[in-house]
Amino acid sequence: MLRPLIGIVLAATGRLAPLGVPLDFVARALPWPVDVLVRDSASTAEGARAAALSLADAGVSAVVTLGGTETLPAVARACTEREVPCVSTTLPWQVFTAEVFDAGHRPGWAFHFSWGLDDIATAFADLWDHLGPARTVGCLWNDGTQGRALRRWFRPVAESRGHRLTDLPYREHSGELPDLAGVEVVTSAATASDLVAAVDRVRPRLVTCSRWLTYPFSVARHGLDRVATIVYWTPRHAHQGTLDRTPHDLAADYEAATGAPWLQPLGVAHALMEVVCHAVTISDSRADVARVLAGTRLPTLAGVLDWSAGPTPGVATIPLAGGQWRTGARPELVVVDNRRVPAVPVGGELLLSP
């Protein structure tokens, strides 16, 4: 009997290539009850769309992908057009729904799991509270999709906690960054290079940054010690999936195979495969896979994913803890606040600059 064929769209080349590595490892180096066909997005929306359409033409039962802001929606929209089930992760779910679903791309084929921008705001506000209530926070937000989404969904949640947010807009990679003088707390979703250029001169007491600053290679390359970020997965999370494998096992296998530190996307990449394998192995058609996914509630190495109770059709959510980087020979992501995610232990205190 032929095994189901799963399509994988990942960034093997281009600026998003570091994000493709964990998904490639999970999909091809670990045993699964499916065959996989991998296509490179080349880190562009056009490449991602072409990769997804190629997989649809190849007859895959479903497609999986993760990150980034332009490539993930391109995959999901192409799959919806061809009526191929797509499962994705690592983009805040509000951005996913805004970028994917419209009159021509309705829920039913694209399924996503992630945290929300409101969850990031809550996790960061929990960290700001360590300095005391009602902080003044400088928001280093770009003028693109990420910045617009943060202003729409992050800002009201953070302000509802009593914090005062000052918008400091900029254009990515332009070399022109706003003055952060006098700002005690900075929050951002900047690239590491833009962030270090902005904060190096002023040294705020606390910097909270998501997106690229959730990965150790960005921290190590720019020496961003004590930058705080979101934590959605670690080897210490107490999650049990559908296979005889633990978060610790997954991280250890990756480090042994690559010689590189574990990355947060490992856990959600593994969950992608758990979910899609669950759906395709009990289905006889693409339409059946989509029907199964719409009602799936499944324990995974990223936690229990529940599309039957998501905030909106096609979406399941995962919670966030607060973490902080410690630099050295090898960057270490320390969980410093787990009030939203007791499944991961606290590893240390939040360190503030003088």
Side-chain angles (χ1 to χ4, degrees):
M1 183 177 179
L2 291 176
R3 301 194 331 158
L5 180 63
I6 302 304
I8 313 283
V9 178
L10 55 80
T13 59
R15 70 182 189 88
L16 301 179
L19 305 186
V21 174
L23 178 55
D24 191 59
F25 171 80
V26 166
R28 295 207 270 197
L30 301 179
W32 300 101
V34 297
D35 292 324
V36 299
L37 190 59
V38 178
R39 293 287 186 267
D40 179 18
S41 71
S43 299
T44 68
E46 296 79 8
R49 176 177 173 80
L53 294 176
S54 169
L55 291 169
D57 291 342
V60 300
S61 297
V63 171
V64 300
T65 192
L66 60 75
T69 306
E70 308 297 332
T71 56
L72 189 155
V75 173
R77 289 171 69 89
C79 287
T80 297
E81 291 167 16
R82 291 292 184 89
E83 297 189 344
V84 179
C86 176
V87 187
S88 57
T89 189
T90 68
L91 187 67
W93 69 262
Q94 294 97 334
V95 179
F96 170 82
T97 58
E99 294 294 314
V100 173
F101 297 142
D102 58 25
H105 301 81
R106 295 193 179 279
W109 295 99
F111 301 89
H112 188 70
F113 69 92
S114 191
W115 49 91
L117 289 160
D118 52 335
D119 298 313
I120 298 177
T122 297
F124 282 178
D126 288 344
L127 297 177
W128 305 340
D129 286 347
H130 286 247
L131 284 81
R135 312 320 298 172
T136 298
V137 181
C139 302
L140 186 66
W141 291 338
N142 68 29
D143 60 358
T145 300
Q146 288 280 352
R148 290 191 296 272
L150 287 160
R151 292 176 180 93
R152 180 176 177 183
W153 287 293
F154 179 108
R155 181 171 194 136
V157 174
E159 289 182 331
S160 73
R161 296 279 295 269
H163 300 290
R164 299 178 295 273
L165 273 60
T166 300
D167 199 340
L168 302 169
Y170 74 103
R171 178 165 297 174
E172 282 197 350
H173 311 302
S174 68
E176 299 178 5
L177 295 161
D179 184 4
L180 303 181
V183 176
E184 183 184 29
V185 179
V186 172
T187 195
S188 187
T191 63
S193 58
D194 279 341
L195 182 66
V196 72
V199 305
D200 200 40
R201 300 184 301 273
V202 297
R203 300 291 180 181
R205 295 196 67 199
L206 178 63
V207 177
T208 55
C209 190
S210 56
R211 202 171 160 213
W212 285 100
L213 270 296
T214 60
Y215 309 120
F217 46 78
S218 288
V219 175
R221 191 174 302 140
H222 296 276
L224 286 164
D225 190 36
R226 298 191 181 186
V227 170
T229 193
I230 58 171
V231 178
Y232 55 88
W233 185 86
T234 75
R236 301 183 71 193
H237 271 71
H239 294 320
Q240 181 63 53
T242 55
L243 304 175
D244 186 21
R245 188 177 293 133
T246 68
H248 179 271
D249 295 336
L250 177 59
D253 289 346
Y254 177 81
E255 292 186 347
T258 66
W262 63 268
L263 304 170
Q264 294 203 61
L266 278 171
V268 293
H270 195 279
L272 279 174
M273 293 300 296
E274 290 179 84
V275 168
V276 78
C277 287
H278 160 74
V280 301
T281 54
I282 62 172
S283 302
D284 296 322
S285 67
R286 288 171 171 173
D288 202 22
V289 172
R291 180 190 60 78
V292 170
L293 287 170
T296 289
R297 185 181 188 277
L298 191 72
T300 74
L301 288 196
V304 176
L305 302 179
D306 190 355
W307 277 271
S308 68
T312 192
V315 170
T317 58
I318 54 177
L320 296 176
Q324 188 176 40
W325 288 103
R326 309 280 192 266
T327 59
R330 171 168 157 165
E332 179 186 6
L333 181 57
V334 177
V335 174
V336 295
D337 195 310
N338 73 342
R339 72 187 78 177
R340 315 291 169 182
V341 195
V344 59
V346 169
E349 294 184 0
L350 180 69
L351 302 180
L352 304 173
S353 298

